[in-house]
Amino acid sequence: QWYQRRVRAKKKKGKKKGKKGEGGEMSVKDKYSKTLQEMDCLKHELETRTELARRNDARASDLKQQVTDWEKVVAEEQEEKLDISADMIRQYKTMQSTMALRIH
């Protein structure tokens, strides 16, 4: 008797099965609404990514402009440095020739 109760208890623990056709398959209307929801989610994600790409493009354009501006500044500074160096060399040569004339 105790063995029979135990066997019955084990049988009851099994997975319950529903009727065929229910739960396993979705109706056409359910599939359609699920597809519409997926489309809405994908559209929203596309809009978000498009906006992010637009912002990134704008930021990249700004950074490129900043790089161009800084390159111009560096070029101007280098040109000014060369001008100053040339002027100092000219002054040094003039001073050197003046000192040579005073000594002789």
Side-chain angles (χ1 to χ4, degrees), residues 39-99:
M39 285 176 50
D40 287 340
C41 289
L42 291 172
K43 284 180 184 177
H44 179 69
E45 185 176 348
L46 179 62
E47 289 171 359
T48 303
R49 288 187 183 202
T50 302
E51 178 64 22
L52 183 61
R54 188 194 61 76
R55 287 182 194 169
N56 287 338
D57 288 344
R59 180 69 177 145
S61 177
D62 290 344
L63 290 174
K64 284 180 183 178
Q65 184 61 44
Q66 286 180 0
V67 167
T68 303
D69 293 344
W70 283 111
E71 286 174 344
K72 287 179 184 177
V73 169
V74 168
E76 290 171 359
E77 292 292 328
Q78 287 176 342
E79 187 176 331
E80 186 178 347
K81 177 184 165 187
L82 289 174
D83 290 344
I84 291 171
S85 295
D87 189 44
M88 289 178 71
I89 289 170
R90 183 190 55 77
Q91 288 176 4
Y92 177 75
K93 286 182 179 180
T94 304
M95 187 176 70
Q96 198 175 30
S97 62
T98 305
M99 292 298 283

